[in-house]
Amino acid sequence: MSAYEAELVVDGRESVADGVLALTLRHPLGEELPAWEPGAHIDVVLGPDLERQYSLCGDPAERHAWRIAVLREIDGRGGSAYVHAELRRGDKVRVRGPRNHFALEPTPRYRFVAGGIGITPILPMLAAAEAAGAEWTLLYGGRTRNSMAFTEELGRYGDRVTIAPQDETGLLDLAPVLDGLPDGTLVYCCGPGPLLDAVEASCPGGVLRVERFRPREQETGPDGEFEVVLERTGRTLTVFPGVSVLDTVRAAGVEVLYSCTEGTCGTCETDVLDGTPDHRDSVLTDEERAAGETMMICVSRCRGARLVLDL
């Protein structure tokens, strides 16, 4: 699986909320960047073993610039701290992508729910829904009004957008948004885990699309030994307990794309040709899991003794 990869220049650096920086990235030679659709993200390589995924939150029609927004996470793993402390206008960063596991599906009406930095993939979705003539609303929550990015930009949509800072209104009231959804409505939600869990509990089956920044808690099967057949080379590898498929194939010298190693970014998605995956990712929908056609090899395993992968 190939993907665009290049060093881009930080051409803009703007504070868009307390603790949130928006960065504009351009090609150093002014070349066009790959096309993308709302919901897409890119991998940003910040240093050795420091790679993060950020949603594209600009205008897909702008082919010469990508915009991302980065929340400074006090208890994070170092990526956001590096961006806020080290990246300056004129610096170069290596990026890969874009990839999209949160695509906006066409439908007559949408309900969007965003929490905090979860507004980033939702922002271009609103413009796309508006351009398509769909009926839509957005419920957007955060800790405080000053911590919520892009509120001024959202002002152009009027009363279709509800801004609900927790210190002013309490926890988001989901009932008015999610109760009695008309036929043909899709719900798109991105934000912290507790918000996603609450929305999932409130939505009828089949209407919800989510993107998670952290792995979901879930029950998994046994962490036993199994075999992986690499169809392209005919090699058979043993995946031992406590070792991922990703680490196993990389140790055997097979080059594969990967990034988060937590099952949230989708970079390592691999086609399954035979066998039943034990899905442990936070990317695939229930329908995609049931189909068993792909798996995230950084976290998912096998429900039997053997998997055949398109590697």
Side-chain angles (χ1 to χ4, degrees):
M1 184 188 301
S2 61
Y4 176 81
E5 183 169 348
E7 277 197 339
L8 301 186
V9 175
V10 178
D11 189 51
R13 187 180 190 272
E14 177 189 6
S15 175
V16 291
D18 289 347
V20 181
L21 280 178
L23 302 180
T24 301
L25 307 175
R26 297 182 185 272
H27 194 280
L29 300 179
E31 296 178 4
E32 281 194 348
L33 301 175
W36 61 279
E37 295 182 351
H41 71 264
I42 57 174
D43 304 328
V44 181
V45 182
L46 301 170
D49 300 318
L50 189 61
E51 184 173 323
R52 297 292 181 265
Q53 294 73 47
Y54 298 110
S55 297
L56 292 170
C57 57
D59 179 0
E62 172 52 85
R63 293 294 304 277
H64 291 88
W66 282 344
R67 181 175 70 166
I68 60 175
V70 181
L71 170 67
R72 173 68 164 93
E73 297 186 79
I74 302 302
D75 299 319
R77 296 178 296 151
S80 68
Y82 180 90
V83 169
H84 279 248
E86 303 294 337
L87 275 190
R88 294 292 182 266
R89 187 168 183 173
D91 289 347
K92 291 183 178 181
V93 290
R94 179 156 292 276
V95 303
R96 290 198 298 262
R99 298 183 181 83
N100 199 340
H101 287 276
F102 193 42
L104 187 68
E105 302 171 28
T107 196
R109 54 191 62 85
Y110 300 95
R111 298 292 179 265
F112 298 103
V113 181
I117 199 63
I119 190 62
T120 51
I122 299 294
L123 201 60
M125 291 184 179
L126 305 182
E130 183 79 355
E135 183 265 310
W136 63 268
T137 63
L138 165 66
L139 177 60
Y140 177 24
R143 292 180 291 103
T144 66
R145 191 174 295 271
N146 288 340
S147 73
M148 299 171 68
F150 305 118
T151 52
E152 290 187 10
E153 198 168 315
L154 291 168
R156 65 191 177 104
Y157 295 120
D159 61 6
R160 279 172 293 177
V161 174
T162 300
I163 305 293
Q166 186 175 344
D167 64 339
E168 298 177 22
T169 63
L171 295 176
L172 288 182
D173 184 5
L174 299 174
V177 177
L178 301 179
D179 286 356
L181 292 173
D183 290 344
T185 303
L186 288 178
V187 178
Y188 279 77
C189 181
C190 185
L195 172 62
L196 299 185
D197 293 341
V199 172
E200 284 184 337
S202 303
C203 275
V207 307
L208 178 62
R209 308 291 185 267
V210 303
E211 182 168 65
R212 292 180 177 268
F213 297 138
R214 295 287 182 270
R216 76 167 83 201
E217 294 185 8
Q218 54 190 312
E219 295 183 4
T220 59
D223 194 12
E225 178 181 310
F226 59 95
E227 289 187 341
V228 168
V229 178
L230 310 184
E231 178 68 16
R232 297 185 204 173
T233 65
R235 298 178 66 182
T236 298
L237 307 175
T238 299
V239 181
F240 294 102
V243 181
S244 69
V245 176
L246 172 65
D247 288 343
T248 301
V249 298
R250 290 187 67 233
V254 180
E255 291 296 324
V256 292
L257 289 176
Y258 70 98
S259 183
C260 73
T261 68
E262 294 183 324
T264 59
C265 74
T267 303
C268 69
E269 184 173 12
T270 301
D271 288 341
V272 178
L273 305 179
D274 193 28
T276 304
D278 177 9
H279 295 292
R280 304 184 181 190
D281 65 276
S282 301
V283 176
L284 297 177
T285 65
D286 290 341
E287 293 78 11
E288 290 168 334
R289 289 180 172 216
E293 296 175 353
T294 68
M295 65 182 288
M296 307 303 155
I297 61 173
C298 66
V299 291
S300 297
R301 301 186 69 80
C302 180
R303 290 193 177 275
R306 181 176 176 269
L307 284 173
V308 181
L309 301 180
D310 187 19
L311 291 173

